[in-house]
Amino acid sequence: MGILALITGKAGASGFGSASTAEHVTDGADASRLTVAITGGASGIGLETSRVFALRGAHVVIAARNTEAASEARKTIMEKNPTARIDVLKLDLSSLKSVRAFVDQFNSMKLPLNILINNAGVMFCPFQLSKNGVEMQFATNHLGYFLLTNLLLDTMKATAKSTGIEGRIVNLSSVAHHHTYPKGIDFDNLNDEKIYNDKMAYGQSKLANLLHAKELSRRLKEEGANITVNSVHPGLIMTNLMRHSFVLMKVLQVATYILWKNVPQGAATTCYVGLSPQLKGVTGKYFADCNVEKTSKLARSEELAKQLWDFSEELIKSAK
């Protein structure tokens, strides 16, 4: 991501750039045959993603921890778009029990699933363990998604097969994946409060998003499934995600204000990767400002991706 392009909003090879908005990058898209599940779709860039997918005709399922806020979000969207199809289901990604309950509820609705947007997350939170005894940022930002995605895969495969429409999974990662622990994923000290660093733990979870997408993409390609898996960096946006470091982020925003995006710009890359016909068959990539971007060396490691996959499976099996 060139700093000049980021500042000026200059379009890249896709025809879009940092100044592009979610509506702009999906202009002309017809999503009326699609069902999309969006985690954290009730606020911030998740809400904008929900709004724009609904605007393009998709049946949107908002998965949110706070269903009251999600219902309000649904109401807000439908005030301007009365024909929008939106359902709200409860999901707390830090709880594996909640993930399983969400999938059971989703399956009971007998809906197809074309697109999964793994959007929700936590950032820079103080050290704490999830209900399953896993460091909270890793539990919420990676492990919950890992289980959620795996449990929804059969539905996505069946939908892609019956409709002939390519399924898409989009993981929201971050440029923060460059700033993590020395080994990338600190498997041996995941829950060690003594060495915990909120910034590096966040970077670790965002690296995990990339590695998860990389390995899942490889597996799906190997079995011939008509589903792509990609990761995105939405950019710097002041949202509720930053509640644990609000003062720090405000100071950073003042110092680097020219690099920050508004919410419609922040949701653009997610919507582009989720809906653009330009990306048919494109999988295992990382996007920023609606263009393919290079990742860190650790994020390109096939060995680390496979190790994380096996570790995640074992962690779920042994979870409290």
Side-chain angles (χ1 to χ4, degrees):
M1 217 171 2
I3 294 295
L4 186 61
L6 183 61
I7 294 171
T8 62
K10 182 182 177 183
S14 68
F16 305 113
S18 62
S20 300
T21 65
E23 280 200 34
H24 177 205
V25 302
T26 59
D27 186 36
D30 177 9
S32 59
R33 296 173 62 197
L34 306 179
T35 300
V36 54
I38 304 171
T39 68
S43 64
I45 60 175
L47 173 56
E48 178 67 359
T49 302
S50 297
R51 185 188 73 81
V52 171
F53 267 89
L55 182 67
R56 301 308 176 210
H59 182 172
V60 176
V61 177
I62 296 177
R65 186 174 52 189
N66 185 339
T67 52
E68 195 174 311
S71 295
E72 278 300 311
R74 177 181 181 274
K75 182 180 175 183
T76 300
I77 293 172
M78 295 192 71
E79 282 174 356
K80 293 187 177 180
N81 181 9
T83 60
R85 294 175 294 158
I86 304 173
D87 286 300
V88 171
L89 296 180
K90 186 173 181 62
L91 172 63
D92 178 356
L93 284 162
S94 70
S95 164
L96 299 181
K97 181 180 179 180
S98 177
V99 171
R100 291 188 175 98
F102 167 84
V103 174
D104 286 344
Q105 194 174 0
F106 180 86
N107 288 341
S108 73
M109 297 169 72
K110 305 297 182 186
L111 290 173
L113 184 60
N114 304 92
I115 302 169
L116 173 61
I117 309 288
N118 288 321
N119 166 81
V122 293
M123 180 181 184
F124 300 167
C125 57
F127 180 83
Q128 56 184 307
L129 297 179
S130 70
K131 293 175 183 175
N132 302 106
V134 180
E135 187 276 308
M136 188 59 81
Q137 295 195 78
F138 190 86
T140 305
N141 297 351
H142 167 66
L143 199 63
Y145 281 141
F146 182 83
L147 179 61
L148 176 68
T149 304
N150 281 354
L151 292 178
L152 290 173
L153 268 182
D154 284 346
T155 300
M156 292 196 71
K157 289 175 185 177
T159 301
K161 190 172 183 179
S162 64
T163 63
I165 300 171
E166 176 183 86
R168 295 188 180 184
I169 297 169
V170 183
N171 280 0
L172 264 76
S173 180
S174 168
V175 69
H177 81 272
H178 287 275
H179 181 63
T180 181
Y181 296 109
K183 295 179 182 178
I185 310 291
D186 198 348
F187 297 106
D188 297 329
N189 302 294
L190 187 67
N191 294 339
D192 190 341
E193 185 174 2
K194 292 177 183 175
I195 66 162
Y196 180 76
N197 177 287
D198 60 350
K199 310 300 184 296
M200 286 195 284
Y202 179 70
Q204 173 179 250
S205 71
K206 294 293 101 179
L207 173 62
N209 295 148
L210 281 162
L211 293 170
H212 170 223
K214 180 182 181 67
E215 178 62 10
L216 180 57
S217 171
R218 184 190 69 79
R219 288 171 179 245
L220 291 173
K221 192 185 292 185
E222 202 172 71
E223 68 177 82
N226 187 22
I227 301 172
T228 64
V229 193
N230 293 292
S231 302
V232 305
H233 166 58
L236 287 169
I237 312 106
M238 186 61 74
T239 68
N240 194 43
L241 178 65
M242 297 175 177
R243 60 189 177 276
H244 292 294
S245 55
F246 183 76
V247 174
L248 172 63
M249 289 297 106
K250 285 304 290 185
V251 170
L252 180 62
Q253 187 181 33
V254 169
T256 60
Y257 71 95
I258 203 165
L259 303 178
W260 289 66
K261 295 182 177 182
N262 57 38
V263 169
Q265 292 169 340
T269 306
T270 301
C271 292
Y272 172 73
V273 175
L275 281 179
S276 175
Q278 293 181 35
L279 300 183
K280 184 173 173 57
V282 175
T283 190
K285 302 297 184 184
Y286 171 58
F287 291 80
D289 298 334
C290 301
N291 287 276
V292 175
E293 182 62 39
K294 288 181 71 174
T295 65
S296 68
K297 185 177 180 180
L298 286 167
R300 297 193 294 273
S301 171
E302 292 182 10
E303 183 182 347
L304 188 59
K306 290 175 184 176
Q307 187 180 2
L308 175 64
W309 188 281
D310 293 341
F311 178 79
S312 301
E313 286 188 327
E314 288 303 315
L315 203 53
I316 288 170
K317 285 178 187 174
S318 63
K320 294 178 183 177

